[in-house]
Amino acid sequence: MADITYNKVKQYIEMHQMITAGDLVAVGVSGGADSVCLLHLLWRLQQEIPYRLIAIHVNHMVREDAARDAAYAEQLCEQLGIPFFLKEVDMGSYAKEQKLSSEEAGRILRYQAFEEILEKQREAKETCKIAVAHNANDRAETMLFHMFRGSGIKGISSISPVRESVIRPVLCLEREEIELYLRENNLTYCTDSTNEEDTYTRNKIRHHVLPYAEKEICQGAVSHMNELADDLFKTENYLAEQTERLYKICVEKCGNDIEARDGQQGTGHVLCIRTDRLKKEHPVMIERVLLCCLEQMIPHRKDITRQHIAKLKELMQKEGSKEMFLPCDVVAYKEYDRFYLIGKEVPLGKNRIISEQRLNSDRIYEIKPPVELSIAGTGDFVFTVYEQDSDVYQRIFCDVKQNIPENRYTKWFDYDKITTSLLLRTRQQGDYLTIDTSLHTQSVKQYMINEKIPKMQRKSMYLLADGAHIMWIPGYRISQYYKVDESTKRILQVCLRGGRNVRAN
């Protein structure tokens, strides 16, 4: 039977490509039955695959008998000739400081210990793996735990055989198989006293729910649940691939400056979602892409609920401009056929994140040509003035008369019509531009609404201004009043190179 178990685990390792020649594998050894079985199986596997094996024991400093477990794990490793490393951590204090459950705090500290020791032990060209001793029963317990909490497919598919550098070679074994292997190989193990308590939810599932299912509902329930977990795992992998493909099509990442109402400045994180494209997809894919977006913005997955996704879907379907607020100071904006998620790297409090008044002295530049001005996220502005007797003036003037220059990012103005200081700045209340030869005016706000410029973009766009009179909205139009005509004595040429808040460059 011992050889059957060994071959079963060996095939499972090969099927999931967990270990290859030349790897450095750190196995977590608590001293319990599962980890002792795993250690012994990996020790035997070294005879067939040349890789380096080390053992790590993490003492959480919680139980009185923890020192006994550490001593046993060290003694076993010494008998097998496996290098042993002990790491002591204060799980209780860490859980309290980070406001985590003891289970979550212990998991984090264990993996931190593994990574720390592996980094010190790793030799050149070695690929590092962390082997942990989750078994089929653990997987079934986790599946039920996540199902009771309302998790999706990813949660219900439970523990995966491989997750990045973490491998689970005995996930294919049920607890009875592990205990039988230990008896046949005369291997003793320690029993964690907390495993017998019903304090933890998982222990209640282990002691009461699964045994009842096996005895009263369906013999082989654990095995059947693991088969389902495998199917769900493959399904989730496929859906994840499709979500990634759709995410690349529908979502664009960009940066943006965000201010609090008190004027405090912070660096933001912005995702732009093409709702016109995403709305054509199946509702399942829409929800997955939205969840993927929120996972980019919100640090902890547990802070994202089904209600948040449902509200985002509802907001996405509405007409006009809408907004909603999400956990961790994330703001969602609906603007025409674009949907924005805006998050802050530095939280600015519980009030509104986006300020209605975004202007400050750092966003107003007085222009005195000739000059070149570079603005991060917008582009490089080049200002040049040409006198009437210059060759360039004559060429530009001839082109203007023939209505040739339709370059969206190079514009010409009558420099002498500027009545105040020439400014490059963001929008202010009362800004207007001249829209026809009869000198009728229109507010910049109304013009931007008519052009369907997203609200978020309106606030960050730089405009060329003469007081409240806007000479040019880069990427869009210039004011009729400043156009070059036969009476123009000096021509102001303004070129914009590169940039984010323009339609195409």
Side-chain angles (χ1 to χ4, degrees), residues 66-77:
R68 176 209 64 184
D69 296 352
Y72 172 74
E74 183 174 11
Q75 180 185 4
L76 178 61
C77 289

Side-chain angles (χ1 to χ4, degrees), residues 377-396:
T378 298
D380 298 325
F381 287 90
V382 181
F383 299 87
T384 311
V385 174
Y386 296 105
E387 301 290 342
Q388 191 173 23
D389 57 356
S390 69
D391 293 338
V392 178
Y393 175 97
Q394 296 299 327
R395 178 179 58 77
I396 293 173

Side-chain angles (χ1 to χ4, degrees), residues 30-33 36 63 65 68-73 188-192 195:
S30 66
V36 170
R63 295 181 291 112
D65 54 359
R68 176 209 64 184
D69 296 352
Y72 172 74
T188 58
Y189 57 89
C190 302
T191 300
D192 186 339
N195 286 340

